[in-house]
Amino acid sequence: MTKIRNQLDHINQRITRALTHSGRTPDQPVLLLAVSKRHPLGKIQTLYELGLRDFGESYVQEALEKIQQNNHTDIIWHFIGPIQSNKTRDIARHFHWVHSVDRIKIAQRLSSQRPETMPPLNICLQINISEEAQKSGFSTTEVFSVIEEISQLPHLRLRGLMAIPKAEAAIDRQKQAFRQLRELMQQLNEQFQLNMDTLSMGMSADLEAAIAEGATIIRIGTALFGPREKT
Ligand SMILES: *Cc1c(COP(=O)(O)O)cnc(C)c1O
């Protein structure tokens, strides 16, 4: 408890400092999403007791076990991992958010498989902002040709964009990619008359740069939980 509490305190200090430095006002808060993939449910419980409600998972089977075993009804579950088509039904039924929508077909399946009795599924489109061959996500041009159709899917609510930029040591280089994502969302909002409000960007190593460029959700694993367990 003490160790994880200290790590949470430290992250909260980093967030507060970054918000102050960037001149953001209290009406532009940032959500700390605790990335709990490959960490046991016990640690999620600990962070829940410390006040966190949003948890991010990357592997469907592992996530479903935690979702079913946990007995808090007010946890908000975010899916942030790669999505295979045969997993969309489980994701549509058990999550509140999906950050990693990277194909139109995945969006269509998530919408058609979202139960009618549940509110629309919040989604972000993953953008391959650094144009790396091995990374998934829409390219910054491709997204213009799919976003209109995705925004109209009935059981999804298009909230914004997500990116995992190439790792960079220098903060100016980190900021550059995050700024591109912010500008891309502005441009898409204007061109297609959308009201996306979410930039899911920034992880343990680059949260300061992400907050400076307008992140609304930062996804933090290692800096909060320590090293992940092997699968
Ligand atoms: C694992 C993961 C994170 C957390 O990364 P850390 O470096 O451990 O903070 C954030 N986002 C995504 C998409 C991830 O897969």
Side-chain angles (χ1 to χ4, degrees):
M1 181 77 153
T2 329
K3 186 161 177 226
I4 211 161
R5 183 199 292 267
N6 288 341
Q7 285 168 166
L8 176 60
D9 283 347
H10 184 62
I11 288 289
N12 279 330
Q13 283 165 17
R14 285 176 66 188
I15 294 173
T16 306
R17 214 178 305 136
L19 284 169
T20 310
H21 274 283
S22 61
R24 284 171 62 166
T25 52
D27 63 334
Q28 301 165 296
V30 63
L31 173 74
L32 170 56
L33 174 60
V35 177
S36 46
K37 67 178 184 217
R38 287 197 259 136
H39 294 291
L41 185 58
K43 288 192 180 178
I44 295 179
Q45 306 279 19
T46 301
L47 285 169
Y48 181 93
E49 284 158 28
L50 294 169
L52 297 199
R53 292 294 177 270
D54 292 81
F55 293 89
E57 291 282 339
S58 298
Y59 309 103
V60 176
Q61 205 47 49
E62 176 192 331
L64 291 186
E65 285 170 25
K66 290 178 190 167
I67 293 171
Q68 275 147 15
Q69 283 166 23
N70 131 81
N71 45 26
H72 301 295
T73 54
D74 59 345
I75 288 186
I76 301 169
W77 295 100
H78 300 244
F79 191 78
I80 64 171
I83 307 176
Q84 296 166 304
S85 334
N86 64 356
K87 296 287 165 58
T88 52
R89 180 175 301 275
D90 282 332
I91 295 172
R93 284 169 181 250
H94 295 283
F95 284 84
H96 304 83
W97 281 77
V98 180
H99 295 229
S100 43
V101 174
D102 63 350
R103 278 164 290 159
I104 197 157
K105 179 181 156 199
I106 294 296
Q108 289 162 340
R109 291 176 65 93
L110 288 170
S111 180
S112 67
Q113 293 169 340
R114 180 70 165 174
E116 296 274 352
T117 52
M118 296 175 82
L121 180 62
N122 296 293
I123 65 154
C124 293
L125 303 184
Q126 183 171 348
I127 307 294
N128 189 355
I129 200 80
S130 311
E131 296 175 28
E132 293 168 280
Q134 77 280 12
K135 254 180 212 157
S136 47
F138 294 105
S139 76
T140 53
T141 47
E142 192 188 2
V143 66
F144 283 84
S145 60
V146 298
I147 198 160
E148 193 153 38
E149 181 174 346
I150 293 178
S151 72
Q152 289 164 359
L153 290 168
H155 303 293
L156 303 184
R157 182 160 166 225
L158 177 59
R159 295 297 299 270
L161 305 180
M162 182 273 247
I164 312 170
K166 181 147 90 49
E168 296 277 4
I171 188 153
D172 288 336
R173 301 291 293 272
Q174 295 173 355
K175 281 188 186 171
Q176 197 176 8
F178 295 135
R179 185 178 320 127
Q180 275 178 276
L181 194 71
R182 171 166 52 80
E183 290 172 354
L184 179 63
M185 185 166 86
Q186 270 168 6
Q187 204 182 342
L188 290 164
N189 272 342
E190 282 163 25
Q191 187 165 332
F192 297 97
Q193 300 188 333
L194 302 170
N195 48 8
M196 294 187 285
D197 59 4
T198 301
L199 286 169
S200 169
M201 58 189 199
M203 317 201 306
S204 296
D206 55 16
L207 70 90
E208 283 83 2
I211 289 174
E213 292 299 336
T216 64
I217 302 183
I218 54 172
R219 308 179 310 269
I220 307 297
T222 314
L224 198 49
F225 291 95
R228 287 182 270 278
E229 294 177 5
K230 298 219 168 58
T231 43

